[in-house]
Amino acid sequence: MIDRRFGLLGDPVAHSLSPRMYRAAFAHLQIPASYEAHRVPRGDDEGVRRTMRNLAAVGGGNVTVPHKEVAARWLDARTTEVEHTGACNCFWLDEQGRLAGDNTDVTGFLAAAADLEGLQLDGGAVLLIGAGGAARAVAAACASAGVRRMDVWNRSAGRAESLVSELGLSGIASVIREPEFSSETYDLVVNATSLGLERTDPLPLAMEAGRFRYAFDLVYGPGGTEWTRHASAAGIVSIDGLSMLLNQAVLSLERWFGELPDREGVVRAMWKEAGGPVTS
């Protein structure tokens, strides 16, 4: 019998591995709960509020593109990460019955970036592509890790400028408009846009060897993404967003259920379901 119900809000959302991963975690923990994807069309702010409230009343959920900033505005109680980034990817009802939310993407990004052996964010230079909710989490994470310089490029320069000012990053971050013509070099380039979710999408950025040491695509796919394969062909060490998806998901489970009795077992179960390499 299903006791609690959880879900993911987004648009698009059918591609997401989250339902399978969370179901694997629930099965491993022997928790009678379900997890489903809920497509809420872009621009339907009221639909975001209603779906969050309905799910929180019976369990909780997650938020993905393009609703993370909208979700943050509907919360009654926010963690420091939500206050700082203005974005929410995890929600539930707290003990006072308030709609509470967190941004587990911040810690999830840093945990996944550790998979890039040799990458040093402290004192490094980062090119961030995008200015939405995911980009805000990456920017906050990079700032907390001590990056020396962060260039932000977005289709709308105004949104990029808002990201820099609202996150208080003017001391290290700058908005650039044409990175393909820049002569700057970077330790890390991050795609925090939705480009790559559709097979017909163009690459977020064409890269050449020598300008970038590492590339991190928040989009994920079987065997990586078109962009990570493009990076690898240019000799750039790259990862897609699967590790970040898993890391932020484990943190979400801890927000909903508290300390997990077998955290390592949960990670293995979710990783296996997502198609990642399984180690003993």
Side-chain angles (χ1 to χ4, degrees):
M1 180 179 178
I2 300 300
D3 289 341
R4 301 181 68 178
R5 301 181 187 278
F6 298 82
L8 174 69
L9 288 69
D11 183 23
V13 75
H15 69 284
S16 178
L17 290 175
S18 289
R20 289 168 50 187
M21 292 171 63
Y22 280 108
R23 290 170 196 157
F26 295 155
H28 182 82
L29 294 168
Q30 298 184 323
I31 294 174
S34 65
Y35 192 105
E36 304 293 338
H38 298 265
R39 178 181 175 270
V40 180
R42 181 185 295 269
D44 185 3
D45 293 6
E46 173 58 26
V48 172
R49 183 200 68 80
R50 183 174 59 254
T51 307
M52 289 175 67
R53 289 283 179 184
N54 290 342
L55 283 171
V58 292
N62 298 106
V63 185
T64 188
V65 293
H67 300 312
K68 294 181 182 182
E69 293 170 84
V70 172
R73 295 198 290 269
W74 289 124
L75 297 175
D76 302 319
R78 302 166 178 82
T79 63
T80 301
E81 286 76 14
V82 173
E83 291 285 3
H84 187 200
T85 63
C88 163
N89 77 316
C90 173
F91 61 90
W92 65 95
L93 285 188
D94 67 11
E95 294 178 353
Q96 287 76 47
R98 300 176 301 178
L99 182 61
D102 192 8
N103 191 325
T104 62
D105 282 338
V106 177
T107 303
F109 171 81
L110 291 175
D115 293 338
L116 290 168
E117 186 175 354
L119 172 64
Q120 291 289 334
L121 288 175
D122 189 8
V126 175
L127 172 60
L128 174 59
I129 306 172
R136 285 170 170 259
V138 172
C142 288
S144 70
V147 298
R148 170 179 52 87
R149 186 180 89 248
M150 186 181 345
D151 288 341
V152 183
W153 175 48
N154 188 61
R155 181 172 53 186
S156 166
R159 288 203 73 191
E161 289 165 356
S162 294
L163 180 153
V164 172
S165 63
E166 291 171 11
L167 269 65
L169 301 176
S170 58
I172 60 170
S174 300
V175 175
I176 61 173
R177 286 167 171 76
E178 296 181 348
E180 62 269 34
F181 301 121
S182 171
S183 61
E184 298 288 348
T185 59
Y186 300 92
D187 296 288
L188 176 67
V189 54
V190 181
N191 172 36
T193 75
S194 61
L195 289 176
L197 287 177
E198 302 292 341
R199 299 183 66 178
T200 56
D201 285 345
L203 294 176
L205 175 69
M207 296 180 289
E208 67 278 4
R211 286 193 58 206
F212 306 97
R213 293 183 61 210
Y214 299 92
F216 192 149
D217 193 349
L218 269 55
V219 177
Y220 56 87
T225 65
E226 286 296 326
W227 196 58
T228 60
R229 287 188 282 273
H230 164 71
S232 297
I236 301 166
V237 179
S238 64
I239 58 171
D240 71 357
L242 188 57
S243 179
M244 178 175 170
L245 178 71
L246 183 140
N247 279 288
Q248 65 83 21
V250 173
L251 293 168
S252 293
L253 286 168
E254 292 174 339
R255 300 297 179 270
W256 301 330
F257 301 108
E259 183 177 353
L260 301 179
D262 181 14
R263 198 176 197 271
E264 290 186 3
V266 170
V267 170
R268 286 195 299 270
M270 297 179 81
W271 196 235
K272 181 179 180 180
E273 186 63 31
V278 179
T279 58
S280 58

